[in-house]
Structures are given as C-alpha cells and as structure tokens.
Amino acid sequence: MCAAGREQATIRGEGRANLLGAAREVFAEKGFARAGIREIASRAGVAVAVAYWHFDSKRGLFEAAVTEPISTFVSDFFSAWGERELGENPAVDEAMAYFGGLYDVLRSERELLLALLADREFSGEDVKSEPLQSAFDRLLDMHEGLITAEVGKRGYRPIDTYLWTRIYFAAILGMALHGNLIDHQGARTKEQFVRELAEMSIFGAVAPGTSPS
C-alpha cells in the first residue's frame, strides 16, 4: 500500500482508535492541562492533523476518551437486553447485571472521569453546550430508554423515568468515583452495593400487591 493509502486507512480505521488509546494513557498520566495533543498524536503514531481531523480540539479528544467506553457498554447492554424474552432473566438479576457492569466501566474510567470533572469545575468555561454535556445527555437518554422499556415490558407502575434514571446513575457514579467517602469502612462489597441498589430499583417500581417478574 502506498503512503497515501496508508494515511487514508489510518484516518478511516485504526487512527481514531489509536488516538483514543493514547489519549487515555497521556491524560491519566498528566491530567488535562499538562497533556498535549502533539504528544498524544505521536504516541498514537499519527500526524497531528489526523488528531484534529477526528477531534476538533484537545477537549473534544479528552471527552471522547472518557465517555465512549461508557456509551459503548450501555449501547451493547441495551442491544443484548432487547433480544431477550420477557422473564428470561429475573428483574433483579437484570438490574444487577446492568448496575454491576456500569459500575465496572465507571470505576475503570475513574482517573479520567475525576480529571474531566475537575477540569469542568475549575476551567471557568461555559459547559452548558459543550460536547461532554451532549455525550452524557445521550448516555442518560439511552439509560432512560432502557428503564422506560423495562417498566413497560414488565407492567410496573408508572414512574418518573427521567428522575429515576439520574438518581440511580448518580448513585453508581458516586460509588465508583468516591466509594471511600460513601463507605469509608469498606463495610459493603461491590456485589452487596449492586444488589441493594437493584432491589431498591425493582421493588420500588412494582405496583402495590404485585411481585416482580
């Protein structure tokens, strides 16, 4: 393959994935402020122009590196969930699988998420319309869609799925990022936390006088 062909393949294919992998390493090592897009591009083995072709800015690359693994987990879980028959998995088990997987991916992104949240808090920039907000809006919309569909599928009582989604997501995010503050004695394992949260979410949605399916 000629040089131009290799460059186009890099732009279309592994270049973006390599950039995200390199960005995750550099941001985790140096934080947002000290990380440079040239260093990220060099570590990814692509030209700086390729980095800007995929991502408008260092911030855009940072946000994608943090949010894409989370969005991928939610999307994959939603697809697998949609293929299962009603009642194939008990409701609490379904919720545990989702909450546990979400906790794991958030925990694996802990360093980058903390760096990102700190940058948003102290950068002084208006974050209302930034790409990160859009990314988390899409993530929460997917999460809400799953809960709405599950409530309808199992015949649970109507709930405020917008608020419900954000309460449970915030609980999992808080435990993944700040577990030591929430449970400083380590009195609960991840499995216990996930089960309690799953049972609260399911039994809270069941109509009075009925049992969860």
Side-chain angles (χ1 to χ4, degrees):
M1 184 184 291
C2 67
R6 286 196 300 272
E7 183 177 349
Q8 286 301 314
T10 297
I11 290 175
R12 290 194 304 269
E14 73 269 16
R16 189 177 191 281
N18 290 348
L19 280 164
L20 287 172
R24 293 163 63 79
E25 292 176 359
V26 175
F27 286 131
E29 292 168 9
K30 298 188 173 182
F32 178 79
R34 294 194 301 118
I37 201 161
R38 287 184 179 278
E39 180 181 358
I40 293 169
S42 175
R43 194 174 297 195
V46 302
V48 173
V50 174
Y52 282 110
W53 189 85
H54 284 293
F55 307 98
D56 292 336
S57 63
K58 183 175 78 167
R59 183 181 294 276
L61 176 54
F62 185 36
E63 290 160 356
V66 174
T67 60
E68 284 197 9
I70 305 168
S71 297
T72 297
F73 164 74
V74 175
S75 179
D76 289 349
F77 187 93
F78 192 96
S79 296
W81 173 85
E83 295 174 358
R84 292 194 282 273
E85 295 292 332
L86 173 62
E88 182 175 335
N89 292 335
V92 170
D93 289 353
E94 197 81 83
M96 285 186 65
Y98 179 71
F99 289 161
L102 184 58
Y103 173 91
D104 287 341
V105 72
L106 290 172
R107 184 69 184 177
S108 72
E109 301 300 308
R110 183 175 183 273
E111 288 186 2
L112 287 176
L113 280 166
L114 288 172
L116 183 149
L117 293 171
D119 177 66
R120 292 182 79 233
E121 185 70 23
F122 300 112
S123 68
E125 297 183 17
D126 181 8
V127 299
K128 292 181 180 178
S129 60
E130 68 175 5
L132 174 65
Q133 190 64 56
S134 297
F136 267 88
D137 284 345
R138 290 194 299 273
L139 174 65
L140 288 167
D141 285 345
M142 292 169 66
H143 185 167
E144 185 177 356
L146 187 150
I147 291 176
T148 300
E150 183 77 356
V151 167
K153 201 181 210 183
R154 295 184 186 267
Y156 293 161
R157 67 177 178 84
I159 59 174
D160 184 342
T161 53
Y162 180 91
L163 184 58
W164 196 276
T165 295
R166 283 147 182 83
I167 288 172
Y168 283 97
F169 185 86
I172 298 166
L173 180 64
M175 192 66 179
L177 299 190
H178 303 293
N180 290 340
L181 288 175
I182 296 172
D183 182 20
H184 68 279
Q185 294 181 335
R188 297 289 183 276
T189 64
K190 183 202 94 172
E191 288 70 24
Q192 288 174 311
F193 167 76
V194 167
R195 175 168 288 281
E196 290 293 333
L197 199 64
E199 290 180 349
M200 283 190 287
S201 72
I202 297 302
F203 296 131
V206 174
T210 63
S211 59
S213 56

